[in-house]
Amino acid sequence: MTSIELPRGPTRAQGGNAMANRGKAKSDRRVRDRVAELAAARDRLDADDAERRRREDDAFKRYAHADAAADRVVAERDAALAELAAQRERVSEAAATRLDEIEQRRGEILAELNRSGRKADDLAAMFGIGVKRVRSLLRQGRPPAGSAGPATAPQARAAQDVATPPAPAAESTVALATAPDSSAAQGPERKNG
């Protein structure tokens, strides 16, 4: 007799393998899904990082432009201050030269009055300056020994003063130079100049 084999169901070993295969497939699917989630999170972070880097690059560029603008402002300021310092020096030198000329003329005028008989004490009282200052101006205003007198008469010099008004920068300095000397408060000395 021939035996007919009936189809058999899975054996216990085969059934266990099928379940294990299904469990393994499910586990593999979970791993793949988790890897995909992690990769997506990484991509989002990378995209955020790329956007942040783009914003930072833009900020760096704007900051560099601000640095360059500050450098230009500092250079302009330094150039302007240097020009002002040079101008101040020129104005001071011009005023000092003019003041020296004016002091010389004052000395000549005081010397003329002194030669006409006014004493240093009288001149100090008349002009409201100290006797020591009058004597100093008299020494400056005297013509050198052997000369006939100043090259320009004091009246001519006074006319020049009226015709040529002082520059504004020198004007305030001239006012300071003409302020009464503190030695005037010391009282007149009784000596001839």
Side-chain angles (χ1 to χ4, degrees):
M1 191 171 156
T2 48
S3 75
I4 300 179
E5 285 194 28
L6 295 171
R8 293 186 199 165
T11 63
R12 189 178 235 185
Q14 288 175 339
N17 282 340
M19 280 181 76
N21 285 341
R22 274 188 298 228
K24 185 174 186 235
K26 193 173 182 180
S27 175
D28 287 346
R29 195 170 35 252
R30 278 191 207 144
V31 168
R32 280 193 309 271
D33 290 347
R34 183 64 180 147
V35 167
E37 286 175 14
L38 294 172
R42 180 199 60 202
D43 291 345
R44 280 193 305 275
L45 287 173
D46 287 348
D48 290 345
D49 286 346
E51 177 60 21
R52 186 179 69 239
R53 279 193 298 274
R54 187 196 63 72
R55 285 193 310 265
E56 286 174 348
D57 288 345
D58 181 57
F60 295 160
K61 186 176 181 180
R62 287 182 287 123
Y63 196 91
H65 281 293
D67 274 350
D71 290 343
R72 282 192 304 274
V73 169
V74 167
E76 291 168 5
R77 177 203 62 197
D78 291 347
L81 289 175
E83 176 55 34
L84 287 173
Q87 182 180 1
R88 181 177 190 259
E89 186 65 26
R90 288 190 302 270
V91 168
S92 294
E93 288 174 2
T97 300
R98 293 187 68 210
L99 286 172
D100 288 344
E101 293 169 358
I102 291 168
E103 280 297 291
Q104 181 65 35
R105 285 193 298 243
R106 285 179 178 160
E108 291 169 3
I109 294 166
L110 291 175
E112 177 187 345
L113 293 171
N114 183 253
R115 282 191 302 273
S116 70
R118 288 292 181 177
K119 298 178 183 178
D121 296 344
D122 297 337
L123 295 171
M126 276 192 271
F127 291 100
I129 54 178
V131 175
K132 289 181 182 180
R133 183 79 181 121
V134 168
R135 287 199 175 111
S136 173
L137 288 169
L138 288 173
R139 281 191 297 276
Q140 293 172 8
R142 285 195 184 119
S147 75
T152 307
Q155 294 84 2
R157 291 268 178 128
Q160 287 174 355
D161 288 344
V162 172
T164 311
E171 198 170 282
S172 62
T173 314
V174 171
L176 290 175
T178 60
D181 193 343
S182 62
S183 61
Q186 297 172 354
E189 296 177 16
R190 294 292 173 197
K191 293 181 184 173
N192 282 342

mmCIF file of all heavy atoms in Angstrom, residues 57-108:
data_model
loop_
_atom_site.group_PDB
_atom_site.id
_atom_site.type_symbol
_atom_site.label_atom_id
_atom_site.label_comp_id
_atom_site.label_asym_id
_atom_site.label_seq_id
_atom_site.Cartn_x
_atom_site.Cartn_y
_atom_site.Cartn_z
ATOM 1 N N ASP A 57 26.400 84.784 10.095
ATOM 2 C CA ASP A 57 27.228 85.352 9.022
ATOM 3 C C ASP A 57 26.749 86.748 8.656
ATOM 4 O O ASP A 57 27.548 87.667 8.444
ATOM 5 C CB ASP A 57 27.206 84.447 7.784
ATOM 6 C CG ASP A 57 27.994 83.159 7.987
ATOM 7 O OD1 ASP A 57 28.777 83.099 8.970
ATOM 8 O OD2 ASP A 57 27.818 82.221 7.186
ATOM 9 N N ASP A 58 25.420 86.926 8.605
ATOM 10 C CA ASP A 58 24.856 88.240 8.314
ATOM 11 C C ASP A 58 25.219 89.231 9.429
ATOM 12 O O ASP A 58 25.601 90.372 9.161
ATOM 13 C CB ASP A 58 23.334 88.133 8.171
ATOM 14 C CG ASP A 58 22.712 89.472 7.839
ATOM 15 O OD1 ASP A 58 23.095 90.078 6.817
ATOM 16 O OD2 ASP A 58 21.835 89.924 8.618
ATOM 17 N N ALA A 59 25.141 88.779 10.685
ATOM 18 C CA ALA A 59 25.487 89.652 11.819
ATOM 19 C C ALA A 59 26.970 90.011 11.777
ATOM 20 O O ALA A 59 27.342 91.168 12.032
ATOM 21 C CB ALA A 59 25.138 88.963 13.139
ATOM 22 N N PHE A 60 27.829 89.038 11.435
ATOM 23 C CA PHE A 60 29.266 89.317 11.339
ATOM 24 C C PHE A 60 29.538 90.376 10.278
ATOM 25 O O PHE A 60 30.354 91.285 10.473
ATOM 26 C CB PHE A 60 30.052 88.050 10.991
ATOM 27 C CG PHE A 60 30.006 86.977 12.039
ATOM 28 C CD1 PHE A 60 30.304 85.668 11.713
ATOM 29 C CD2 PHE A 60 29.661 87.259 13.356
ATOM 30 C CE1 PHE A 60 30.274 84.668 12.669
ATOM 31 C CE2 PHE A 60 29.630 86.275 14.323
ATOM 32 C CZ PHE A 60 29.937 84.969 13.976
ATOM 33 N N LYS A 61 28.840 90.271 9.152
ATOM 34 C CA LYS A 61 29.036 91.236 8.064
ATOM 35 C C LYS A 61 28.613 92.635 8.506
ATOM 36 O O LYS A 61 29.322 93.619 8.283
ATOM 37 C CB LYS A 61 28.223 90.787 6.844
ATOM 38 C CG LYS A 61 28.442 91.619 5.617
ATOM 39 C CD LYS A 61 27.662 91.038 4.444
ATOM 40 C CE LYS A 61 27.880 91.841 3.189
ATOM 41 N NZ LYS A 61 27.134 91.309 2.059
ATOM 42 N N ARG A 62 27.445 92.721 9.173
ATOM 43 C CA ARG A 62 26.978 94.028 9.651
ATOM 44 C C ARG A 62 27.940 94.606 10.691
ATOM 45 O O ARG A 62 28.217 95.794 10.712
ATOM 46 C CB ARG A 62 25.567 93.911 10.215
ATOM 47 C CG ARG A 62 24.517 93.727 9.116
ATOM 48 C CD ARG A 62 23.088 93.667 9.650
ATOM 49 N NE ARG A 62 22.846 92.399 10.326
ATOM 50 C CZ ARG A 62 22.439 92.273 11.574
ATOM 51 N NH1 ARG A 62 22.203 93.336 12.311
ATOM 52 N NH2 ARG A 62 22.242 91.084 12.110
ATOM 53 N N TYR A 63 28.471 93.742 11.563
ATOM 54 C CA TYR A 63 29.406 94.204 12.593
ATOM 55 C C TYR A 63 30.695 94.718 11.946
ATOM 56 O O TYR A 63 31.250 95.743 12.373
ATOM 57 C CB TYR A 63 29.717 93.067 13.570
ATOM 58 C CG TYR A 63 30.348 93.541 14.846
ATOM 59 C CD1 TYR A 63 29.575 93.876 15.950
ATOM 60 C CD2 TYR A 63 31.729 93.673 14.962
ATOM 61 C CE1 TYR A 63 30.144 94.319 17.125
ATOM 62 C CE2 TYR A 63 32.313 94.123 16.132
ATOM 63 C CZ TYR A 63 31.521 94.438 17.211
ATOM 64 O OH TYR A 63 32.104 94.895 18.366
ATOM 65 N N ALA A 64 31.184 94.016 10.926
ATOM 66 C CA ALA A 64 32.399 94.461 10.229
ATOM 67 C C ALA A 64 32.173 95.813 9.564
ATOM 68 O O ALA A 64 33.056 96.682 9.572
ATOM 69 C CB ALA A 64 32.830 93.416 9.198
ATOM 70 N N HIS A 65 30.973 96.032 8.990
ATOM 71 C CA HIS A 65 30.653 97.340 8.402
ATOM 72 C C HIS A 65 30.635 98.416 9.491
ATOM 73 O O HIS A 65 31.108 99.538 9.261
ATOM 74 C CB HIS A 65 29.303 97.297 7.684
ATOM 75 C CG HIS A 65 29.360 96.660 6.327
ATOM 76 N ND1 HIS A 65 30.024 97.214 5.265
ATOM 77 C CD2 HIS A 65 28.824 95.498 5.865
ATOM 78 C CE1 HIS A 65 29.906 96.442 4.201
ATOM 79 N NE2 HIS A 65 29.180 95.380 4.544
ATOM 80 N N ALA A 66 30.098 98.090 10.660
ATOM 81 C CA ALA A 66 30.077 99.057 11.770
ATOM 82 C C ALA A 66 31.496 99.382 12.213
ATOM 83 O O ALA A 66 31.823 100.549 12.501
ATOM 84 C CB ALA A 66 29.253 98.503 12.933
ATOM 85 N N ASP A 67 32.375 98.378 12.279
ATOM 86 C CA ASP A 67 33.781 98.614 12.622
ATOM 87 C C ASP A 67 34.427 99.575 11.626
ATOM 88 O O ASP A 67 35.137 100.506 12.015
ATOM 89 C CB ASP A 67 34.574 97.300 12.620
ATOM 90 C CG ASP A 67 34.497 96.558 13.938
ATOM 91 O OD1 ASP A 67 33.994 97.132 14.925
ATOM 92 O OD2 ASP A 67 34.942 95.394 13.975
ATOM 93 N N ALA A 68 34.178 99.338 10.342
ATOM 94 C CA ALA A 68 34.766 100.202 9.306
ATOM 95 C C ALA A 68 34.234 101.624 9.432
ATOM 96 O O ALA A 68 34.989 102.592 9.298
ATOM 97 C CB ALA A 68 34.468 99.634 7.915
ATOM 98 N N ALA A 69 32.937 101.772 9.723
ATOM 99 C CA ALA A 69 32.357 103.110 9.893
ATOM 100 C C ALA A 69 32.971 103.806 11.102
ATOM 101 O O ALA A 69 33.279 105.003 11.059
ATOM 102 C CB ALA A 69 30.837 103.008 10.047
ATOM 103 N N ALA A 70 33.182 103.072 12.202
ATOM 104 C CA ALA A 70 33.806 103.663 13.399
ATOM 105 C C ALA A 70 35.226 104.109 13.088
ATOM 106 O O ALA A 70 35.654 105.188 13.524
ATOM 107 C CB ALA A 70 33.795 102.652 14.542
ATOM 108 N N ASP A 71 35.957 103.306 12.320
ATOM 109 C CA ASP A 71 37.328 103.686 11.940
ATOM 110 C C ASP A 71 37.323 104.976 11.131
ATOM 111 O O ASP A 71 38.181 105.845 11.327
ATOM 112 C CB ASP A 71 37.997 102.564 11.138
ATOM 113 C CG ASP A 71 38.304 101.339 11.991
ATOM 114 O OD1 ASP A 71 38.299 101.460 13.240
ATOM 115 O OD2 ASP A 71 38.551 100.267 11.405
ATOM 116 N N ARG A 72 36.349 105.112 10.220
ATOM 117 C CA ARG A 72 36.271 106.346 9.419
ATOM 118 C C ARG A 72 35.971 107.553 10.296
ATOM 119 O O ARG A 72 36.581 108.614 10.135
ATOM 120 C CB ARG A 72 35.186 106.200 8.341
ATOM 121 C CG ARG A 72 35.616 105.382 7.141
ATOM 122 C CD ARG A 72 34.630 105.514 5.984
ATOM 123 N NE ARG A 72 33.269 105.158 6.340
ATOM 124 C CZ ARG A 72 32.770 103.921 6.307
ATOM 125 N NH1 ARG A 72 33.542 102.918 5.934
ATOM 126 N NH2 ARG A 72 31.521 103.687 6.646
ATOM 127 N N VAL A 73 35.041 107.393 11.248
ATOM 128 C CA VAL A 73 34.681 108.506 12.141
ATOM 129 C C VAL A 73 35.888 108.920 12.984
ATOM 130 O O VAL A 73 36.172 110.109 13.143
ATOM 131 C CB VAL A 73 33.486 108.131 13.034
ATOM 132 C CG1 VAL A 73 33.274 109.149 14.136
ATOM 133 C CG2 VAL A 73 32.224 107.993 12.194
ATOM 134 N N VAL A 74 36.626 107.938 13.497
ATOM 135 C CA VAL A 74 37.805 108.244 14.315
ATOM 136 C C VAL A 74 38.849 108.969 13.472
ATOM 137 O O VAL A 74 39.453 109.960 13.920
ATOM 138 C CB VAL A 74 38.390 106.948 14.935
ATOM 139 C CG1 VAL A 74 39.769 107.177 15.513
ATOM 140 C CG2 VAL A 74 37.457 106.425 16.012
ATOM 141 N N ALA A 75 39.064 108.518 12.243
ATOM 142 C CA ALA A 75 40.042 109.175 11.368
ATOM 143 C C ALA A 75 39.622 110.608 11.058
ATOM 144 O O ALA A 75 40.444 111.528 11.084
ATOM 145 C CB ALA A 75 40.211 108.368 10.078
ATOM 146 N N GLU A 76 38.319 110.806 10.765
ATOM 147 C CA GLU A 76 37.827 112.167 10.492
ATOM 148 C C GLU A 76 37.975 113.058 11.722
ATOM 149 O O GLU A 76 38.389 114.212 11.617
ATOM 150 C CB GLU A 76 36.358 112.114 10.063
ATOM 151 C CG GLU A 76 36.139 111.496 8.700
ATOM 152 C CD GLU A 76 34.674 111.199 8.417
ATOM 153 O OE1 GLU A 76 33.803 111.556 9.255
ATOM 154 O OE2 GLU A 76 34.389 110.590 7.372
ATOM 155 N N ARG A 77 37.630 112.497 12.897
ATOM 156 C CA ARG A 77 37.759 113.273 14.138
ATOM 157 C C ARG A 77 39.209 113.667 14.389
ATOM 158 O O ARG A 77 39.511 114.823 14.677
ATOM 159 C CB ARG A 77 37.261 112.438 15.322
ATOM 160 C CG ARG A 77 37.423 113.144 16.663
ATOM 161 C CD ARG A 77 37.463 112.181 17.817
ATOM 162 N NE ARG A 77 38.606 111.289 17.714
ATOM 163 C CZ ARG A 77 38.712 110.156 18.402
ATOM 164 N NH1 ARG A 77 37.751 109.766 19.194
ATOM 165 N NH2 ARG A 77 39.791 109.405 18.280
ATOM 166 N N ASP A 78 40.131 112.707 14.235
ATOM 167 C CA ASP A 78 41.538 112.990 14.491
ATOM 168 C C ASP A 78 42.080 114.032 13.522
ATOM 169 O O ASP A 78 42.844 114.918 13.916
ATOM 170 C CB ASP A 78 42.367 111.707 14.416
ATOM 171 C CG ASP A 78 42.065 110.755 15.566
ATOM 172 O OD1 ASP A 78 41.403 111.176 16.539
ATOM 173 O OD2 ASP A 78 42.492 109.582 15.496
ATOM 174 N N ALA A 79 41.663 113.948 12.256
ATOM 175 C CA ALA A 79 42.113 114.933 11.268
ATOM 176 C C ALA A 79 41.566 116.317 11.606
ATOM 177 O O ALA A 79 42.285 117.320 11.541
ATOM 178 C CB ALA A 79 41.683 114.515 9.861
ATOM 179 N N ALA A 80 40.288 116.373 11.994
ATOM 180 C CA ALA A 80 39.687 117.668 12.335
ATOM 181 C C ALA A 80 40.343 118.260 13.579
ATOM 182 O O ALA A 80 40.624 119.470 13.632
ATOM 183 C CB ALA A 80 38.176 117.505 12.559
ATOM 184 N N LEU A 81 40.611 117.420 14.590
ATOM 185 C CA LEU A 81 41.257 117.921 15.804
ATOM 186 C C LEU A 81 42.685 118.384 15.524
ATOM 187 O O LEU A 81 43.138 119.386 16.085
ATOM 188 C CB LEU A 81 41.251 116.848 16.892
ATOM 189 C CG LEU A 81 39.888 116.543 17.507
ATOM 190 C CD1 LEU A 81 39.984 115.381 18.487
ATOM 191 C CD2 LEU A 81 39.315 117.778 18.192
ATOM 192 N N ALA A 82 43.385 117.675 14.646
ATOM 193 C CA ALA A 82 44.742 118.096 14.290
ATOM 194 C C ALA A 82 44.708 119.445 13.578
ATOM 195 O O ALA A 82 45.538 120.324 13.845
ATOM 196 C CB ALA A 82 45.409 117.044 13.401
ATOM 197 N N GLU A 83 43.730 119.630 12.684
ATOM 198 C CA GLU A 83 43.599 120.909 11.985
ATOM 199 C C GLU A 83 43.248 122.019 12.973
ATOM 200 O O GLU A 83 43.790 123.131 12.901
ATOM 201 C CB GLU A 83 42.546 120.815 10.885
ATOM 202 C CG GLU A 83 42.263 122.132 10.171
ATOM 203 C CD GLU A 83 43.497 122.797 9.583
ATOM 204 O OE1 GLU A 83 44.423 122.100 9.131
ATOM 205 O OE2 GLU A 83 43.547 124.058 9.595
ATOM 206 N N LEU A 84 42.347 121.729 13.919
ATOM 207 C CA LEU A 84 41.995 122.734 14.927
ATOM 208 C C LEU A 84 43.193 123.090 15.802
ATOM 209 O O LEU A 84 43.396 124.263 16.147
ATOM 210 C CB LEU A 84 40.845 122.234 15.797
ATOM 211 C CG LEU A 84 39.471 122.215 15.123
ATOM 212 C CD1 LEU A 84 38.459 121.534 16.038
ATOM 213 C CD2 LEU A 84 39.012 123.622 14.792
ATOM 214 N N ALA A 85 43.994 122.084 16.155
ATOM 215 C CA ALA A 85 45.190 122.353 16.970
ATOM 216 C C ALA A 85 46.169 123.228 16.198
ATOM 217 O O ALA A 85 46.746 124.169 16.757
ATOM 218 C CB ALA A 85 45.848 121.043 17.387
ATOM 219 N N ALA A 86 46.342 122.935 14.910
ATOM 220 C CA ALA A 86 47.239 123.748 14.095
ATOM 221 C C ALA A 86 46.697 125.171 13.954
ATOM 222 O O ALA A 86 47.439 126.153 14.044
ATOM 223 C CB ALA A 86 47.424 123.112 12.710
ATOM 224 N N GLN A 87 45.377 125.280 13.767
ATOM 225 C CA GLN A 87 44.758 126.606 13.654
ATOM 226 C C GLN A 87 44.899 127.368 14.971
ATOM 227 O O GLN A 87 45.204 128.556 14.980
ATOM 228 C CB GLN A 87 43.286 126.460 13.284
ATOM 229 C CG GLN A 87 42.569 127.779 13.099
ATOM 230 C CD GLN A 87 41.116 127.589 12.726
ATOM 231 O OE1 GLN A 87 40.630 126.474 12.620
ATOM 232 N NE2 GLN A 87 40.412 128.674 12.528
ATOM 233 N N ARG A 88 44.696 126.676 16.081
ATOM 234 C CA ARG A 88 44.846 127.314 17.399
ATOM 235 C C ARG A 88 46.263 127.841 17.568
ATOM 236 O O ARG A 88 46.477 128.939 18.074
ATOM 237 C CB ARG A 88 44.520 126.290 18.484
ATOM 238 C CG ARG A 88 44.617 126.848 19.872
ATOM 239 C CD ARG A 88 44.197 125.779 20.888
ATOM 240 N NE ARG A 88 44.061 126.346 22.200
ATOM 241 C CZ ARG A 88 44.960 126.243 23.157
ATOM 242 N NH1 ARG A 88 46.065 125.563 22.938
ATOM 243 N NH2 ARG A 88 44.769 126.788 24.320
ATOM 244 N N GLU A 89 47.230 127.036 17.159
ATOM 245 C CA GLU A 89 48.633 127.452 17.263
ATOM 246 C C GLU A 89 48.895 128.686 16.403
ATOM 247 O O GLU A 89 49.552 129.630 16.844
ATOM 248 C CB GLU A 89 49.545 126.289 16.841
ATOM 249 C CG GLU A 89 51.014 126.560 17.043
ATOM 250 C CD GLU A 89 51.405 126.729 18.505
ATOM 251 O OE1 GLU A 89 50.732 126.189 19.388
ATOM 252 O OE2 GLU A 89 52.396 127.433 18.764
ATOM 253 N N ARG A 90 48.354 128.687 15.179
ATOM 254 C CA ARG A 90 48.556 129.855 14.296
ATOM 255 C C ARG A 90 47.920 131.105 14.899
ATOM 256 O O ARG A 90 48.518 132.188 14.890
ATOM 257 C CB ARG A 90 47.957 129.576 12.912
ATOM 258 C CG ARG A 90 48.735 128.579 12.087
ATOM 259 C CD ARG A 90 48.236 128.510 10.643
ATOM 260 N NE ARG A 90 46.832 128.163 10.523
ATOM 261 C CZ ARG A 90 46.357 126.931 10.412
ATOM 262 N NH1 ARG A 90 47.192 125.912 10.403
ATOM 263 N NH2 ARG A 90 45.075 126.706 10.288
ATOM 264 N N VAL A 91 46.699 130.960 15.432
ATOM 265 C CA VAL A 91 46.000 132.107 16.036
ATOM 266 C C VAL A 91 46.776 132.606 17.250
ATOM 267 O O VAL A 91 46.959 133.811 17.436
ATOM 268 C CB VAL A 91 44.552 131.716 16.412
ATOM 269 C CG1 VAL A 91 43.910 132.770 17.294
ATOM 270 C CG2 VAL A 91 43.723 131.514 15.150
ATOM 271 N N SER A 92 47.260 131.689 18.083
ATOM 272 C CA SER A 92 48.011 132.079 19.273
ATOM 273 C C SER A 92 49.294 132.808 18.900
ATOM 274 O O SER A 92 49.638 133.827 19.508
ATOM 275 C CB SER A 92 48.353 130.846 20.116
ATOM 276 O OG SER A 92 47.178 130.274 20.637
ATOM 277 N N GLU A 93 49.988 132.283 17.891
ATOM 278 C CA GLU A 93 51.237 132.930 17.469
ATOM 279 C C GLU A 93 50.964 134.318 16.893
ATOM 280 O O GLU A 93 51.694 135.275 17.182
ATOM 281 C CB GLU A 93 51.965 132.060 16.441
ATOM 282 C CG GLU A 93 52.583 130.816 17.044
ATOM 283 C CD GLU A 93 53.172 129.887 16.008
ATOM 284 O OE1 GLU A 93 53.144 130.223 14.789
ATOM 285 O OE2 GLU A 93 53.657 128.816 16.396
ATOM 286 N N ALA A 94 49.918 134.439 16.079
ATOM 287 C CA ALA A 94 49.583 135.747 15.491
ATOM 288 C C ALA A 94 49.195 136.735 16.585
ATOM 289 O O ALA A 94 49.617 137.902 16.573
ATOM 290 C CB ALA A 94 48.446 135.597 14.478
ATOM 291 N N ALA A 95 48.410 136.280 17.560
ATOM 292 C CA ALA A 95 48.002 137.162 18.656
ATOM 293 C C ALA A 95 49.213 137.570 19.490
ATOM 294 O O ALA A 95 49.334 138.734 19.885
ATOM 295 C CB ALA A 95 46.960 136.471 19.530
ATOM 296 N N ALA A 96 50.107 136.626 19.759
ATOM 297 C CA ALA A 96 51.307 136.953 20.540
ATOM 298 C C ALA A 96 52.159 137.983 19.825
ATOM 299 O O ALA A 96 52.670 138.927 20.445
ATOM 300 C CB ALA A 96 52.114 135.682 20.812
ATOM 301 N N THR A 97 52.295 137.848 18.512
ATOM 302 C CA THR A 97 53.072 138.825 17.735
ATOM 303 C C THR A 97 52.423 140.199 17.813
ATOM 304 O O THR A 97 53.099 141.207 18.057
ATOM 305 C CB THR A 97 53.171 138.367 16.263
ATOM 306 O OG1 THR A 97 53.821 137.092 16.236
ATOM 307 C CG2 THR A 97 53.932 139.356 15.422
ATOM 308 N N ARG A 98 51.116 140.239 17.628
ATOM 309 C CA ARG A 98 50.419 141.538 17.694
ATOM 310 C C ARG A 98 50.503 142.140 19.084
ATOM 311 O O ARG A 98 50.669 143.351 19.243
ATOM 312 C CB ARG A 98 48.968 141.363 17.264
ATOM 313 C CG ARG A 98 48.864 141.004 15.767
ATOM 314 C CD ARG A 98 47.462 140.996 15.267
ATOM 315 N NE ARG A 98 46.950 142.362 15.276
ATOM 316 C CZ ARG A 98 45.686 142.671 15.451
ATOM 317 N NH1 ARG A 98 44.805 141.719 15.631
ATOM 318 N NH2 ARG A 98 45.285 143.913 15.440
ATOM 319 N N LEU A 99 50.364 141.309 20.114
ATOM 320 C CA LEU A 99 50.454 141.813 21.488
ATOM 321 C C LEU A 99 51.840 142.364 21.784
ATOM 322 O O LEU A 99 51.981 143.385 22.471
ATOM 323 C CB LEU A 99 50.090 140.717 22.489
ATOM 324 C CG LEU A 99 48.604 140.388 22.578
ATOM 325 C CD1 LEU A 99 48.390 139.160 23.449
ATOM 326 C CD2 LEU A 99 47.825 141.574 23.123
ATOM 327 N N ASP A 100 52.876 141.693 21.272
ATOM 328 C CA ASP A 100 54.231 142.207 21.449
ATOM 329 C C ASP A 100 54.370 143.591 20.811
ATOM 330 O O ASP A 100 54.980 144.501 21.386
ATOM 331 C CB ASP A 100 55.263 141.254 20.841
ATOM 332 C CG ASP A 100 55.423 139.978 21.659
ATOM 333 O OD1 ASP A 100 54.981 139.958 22.828
ATOM 334 O OD2 ASP A 100 55.993 139.008 21.120
ATOM 335 N N GLU A 101 53.785 143.734 19.615
ATOM 336 C CA GLU A 101 53.836 145.035 18.932
ATOM 337 C C GLU A 101 53.088 146.100 19.744
ATOM 338 O O GLU A 101 53.545 147.236 19.876
ATOM 339 C CB GLU A 101 53.233 144.923 17.525
ATOM 340 C CG GLU A 101 54.042 144.062 16.577
ATOM 341 C CD GLU A 101 53.302 143.739 15.294
ATOM 342 O OE1 GLU A 101 52.125 144.159 15.139
ATOM 343 O OE2 GLU A 101 53.889 143.052 14.446
ATOM 344 N N ILE A 102 51.939 145.720 20.276
ATOM 345 C CA ILE A 102 51.143 146.666 21.066
ATOM 346 C C ILE A 102 51.895 147.062 22.337
ATOM 347 O O ILE A 102 51.925 148.235 22.719
ATOM 348 C CB ILE A 102 49.760 146.063 21.385
ATOM 349 C CG1 ILE A 102 48.934 145.973 20.107
ATOM 350 C CG2 ILE A 102 49.031 146.874 22.445
ATOM 351 C CD1 ILE A 102 47.668 145.142 20.232
ATOM 352 N N GLU A 103 52.510 146.083 22.997
ATOM 353 C CA GLU A 103 53.288 146.387 24.197
ATOM 354 C C GLU A 103 54.430 147.342 23.863
ATOM 355 O O GLU A 103 54.732 148.253 24.633
ATOM 356 C CB GLU A 103 53.850 145.100 24.813
ATOM 357 C CG GLU A 103 52.851 144.330 25.637
ATOM 358 C CD GLU A 103 52.370 145.103 26.848
ATOM 359 O OE1 GLU A 103 53.161 145.317 27.781
ATOM 360 O OE2 GLU A 103 51.200 145.507 26.845
ATOM 361 N N GLN A 104 55.056 147.129 22.730
ATOM 362 C CA GLN A 104 56.139 148.024 22.303
ATOM 363 C C GLN A 104 55.605 149.444 22.122
ATOM 364 O O GLN A 104 56.212 150.415 22.574
ATOM 365 C CB GLN A 104 56.768 147.511 20.991
ATOM 366 C CG GLN A 104 57.909 148.360 20.478
ATOM 367 C CD GLN A 104 59.105 148.342 21.412
ATOM 368 O OE1 GLN A 104 59.397 147.337 22.036
ATOM 369 N NE2 GLN A 104 59.779 149.471 21.520
ATOM 370 N N ARG A 105 54.443 149.568 21.491
ATOM 371 C CA ARG A 105 53.854 150.897 21.284
ATOM 372 C C ARG A 105 53.481 151.536 22.617
ATOM 373 O O ARG A 105 53.695 152.734 22.834
ATOM 374 C CB ARG A 105 52.625 150.802 20.384
ATOM 375 C CG ARG A 105 52.998 150.582 18.936
ATOM 376 C CD ARG A 105 51.818 150.797 18.032
ATOM 377 N NE ARG A 105 50.748 149.857 18.315
ATOM 378 C CZ ARG A 105 50.276 148.944 17.492
ATOM 379 N NH1 ARG A 105 50.780 148.851 16.277
ATOM 380 N NH2 ARG A 105 49.307 148.150 17.834
ATOM 381 N N ARG A 106 52.922 150.754 23.532
ATOM 382 C CA ARG A 106 52.599 151.291 24.866
ATOM 383 C C ARG A 106 53.849 151.815 25.551
ATOM 384 O O ARG A 106 53.835 152.890 26.172
ATOM 385 C CB ARG A 106 51.968 150.206 25.733
ATOM 386 C CG ARG A 106 50.552 149.878 25.401
ATOM 387 C CD ARG A 106 50.072 148.790 26.321
ATOM 388 N NE ARG A 106 48.683 148.452 26.095
ATOM 389 C CZ ARG A 106 48.129 147.323 26.461
ATOM 390 N NH1 ARG A 106 48.854 146.402 27.078
ATOM 391 N NH2 ARG A 106 46.861 147.092 26.230
ATOM 392 N N GLY A 107 54.900 151.010 25.463
ATOM 393 C CA GLY A 107 56.160 151.440 26.070
ATOM 394 C C GLY A 107 56.657 152.743 25.468
ATOM 395 O O GLY A 107 57.158 153.629 26.187
ATOM 396 N N GLU A 108 56.536 152.874 24.143
ATOM 397 C CA GLU A 108 56.985 154.102 23.473
ATOM 398 C C GLU A 108 56.155 155.300 23.929
ATOM 399 O O GLU A 108 56.681 156.392 24.167
ATOM 400 C CB GLU A 108 56.891 153.928 21.956
ATOM 401 C CG GLU A 108 57.907 152.943 21.405
ATOM 402 C CD GLU A 108 57.648 152.569 19.948
ATOM 403 O OE1 GLU A 108 56.701 153.120 19.336
ATOM 404 O OE2 GLU A 108 58.387 151.718 19.432
#
